[in-house]
């Protein structure tokens, strides 16, 4: 089922998605896919420019309604992924999302945007030029979404 994408333009759009998904309380990042735009051709020539720079993310939520969201961040300038340490869970209790200086910022903890980089040892966060999302409840469970298809 292909759902229509919703563009995040402003704080009103951010508040809508946060409210719809319960501020992502009791959520987890299930899958992430990064696409740079760079590649090597079969003749070994290279296109070495990250002109795509997209992060695709599936977040699942422990709730019957509005349980799965796919977010695509475009023009990614920084993506800091910190997996949970062994023996610890990766539950998100409150997703922080903000628009500042014409960029979208998202973190898995409530931390001031200006402090994201200095907390990169433990904080998963992203800064991108734009973001869009769609509800994809059919992706609930452990089946992979981002798999190679021939």
């Amino acid at each position: 089922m292909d759902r229509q994408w919703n563009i995040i333009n402003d704080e009103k759009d951010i508040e809508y998605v946060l409210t719809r998904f319960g501020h992502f309380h009791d959520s987890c990042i299930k899958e992430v896919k990064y696409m740079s735009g760079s590649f090597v051709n079969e003749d070994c020539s290279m296109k070495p420019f990250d002109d795509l720079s997209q992060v695709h993310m599936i977040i699942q939520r422990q709730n019957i309604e509005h349980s799965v969201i796919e977010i695509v961040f475009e023009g990614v300038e920084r993506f800091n992924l910190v997996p949970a340490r062994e023996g610890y869970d990766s539950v998100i209790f409150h997703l922080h999302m903000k628009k500042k200086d014409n960029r979208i910022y998202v973190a898995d903890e409530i931390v001031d945007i200006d402090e994201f980089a200095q907390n990169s040892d433990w904080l998963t966060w992203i800064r991108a030029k734009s973001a869009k999302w769609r509800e994809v409840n059919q992706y609930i469970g452990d089946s992979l979404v981002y798999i190679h298809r021939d």
Side-chain angles (χ1 to χ4, degrees), residues 53-87:
S53 195
Q54 288 183 340
V55 170
H56 297 244
M57 187 178 293
I58 300 289
I59 300 176
Q60 295 178 337
R61 181 168 164 245
Q62 212 173 12
N63 194 294
I64 298 297
E65 292 186 336
H66 315 303
S67 55
V68 186
I69 185 173
E70 180 176 22
I71 306 174
V72 176
F73 299 94
E74 298 174 312
V76 174
E77 297 173 341
R78 176 71 187 258
F79 178 46
N80 191 72
L81 176 65
V82 181
R85 294 180 301 166
E86 188 173 335

Side-chain angles (χ1 to χ4, degrees), residues 8-11 14 97-104:
I8 297 175
N9 291 308
D10 52 31
E11 290 296 327
I14 289 171
M97 187 180 296
K98 201 83 175 148
K99 187 154 188 181
K100 180 180 178 185
D101 299 328
N102 215 25
R103 299 294 187 263
I104 301 287

Side-chain angles (χ1 to χ4, degrees), residues 90-140:
S90 60
V91 175
I92 298 169
F93 294 104
H94 190 105
L95 196 76
H96 182 67
M97 187 180 296
K98 201 83 175 148
K99 187 154 188 181
K100 180 180 178 185
D101 299 328
N102 215 25
R103 299 294 187 263
I104 301 287
Y105 292 79
V106 177
D108 64 353
E109 295 276 341
I110 299 177
V111 175
D112 187 276
I113 290 170
D114 297 325
E115 298 176 8
F116 279 14
Q118 60 208 32
N119 292 305
S120 289
D121 287 346
W122 60 271
L123 183 69
T124 292
W125 67 278
I126 191 165
R127 178 181 65 227
K129 293 178 181 175
S130 64
K132 60 186 179 182
W133 67 274
R134 61 184 178 173
E135 190 166 341
V136 286
N137 295 319
Q138 69 271 23
Y139 294 157
I140 197 74

Side-chain angles (χ1 to χ4, degrees), residues 36-65:
S36 67
S38 296
F39 60 89
V40 174
N41 286 306
E42 290 177 10
D43 68 357
C44 292
S45 63
M46 180 184 284
K47 180 190 159 256
F49 304 105
D50 292 353
D51 56 357
L52 191 54
S53 195
Q54 288 183 340
V55 170
H56 297 244
M57 187 178 293
I58 300 289
I59 300 176
Q60 295 178 337
R61 181 168 164 245
Q62 212 173 12
N63 194 294
I64 298 297
E65 292 186 336

Side-chain angles (χ1 to χ4, degrees), residues 29-40:
I29 297 172
K30 180 190 178 293
E31 291 182 50
V32 175
K33 175 177 75 169
Y34 173 71
M35 296 173 11
S36 67
S38 296
F39 60 89
V40 174

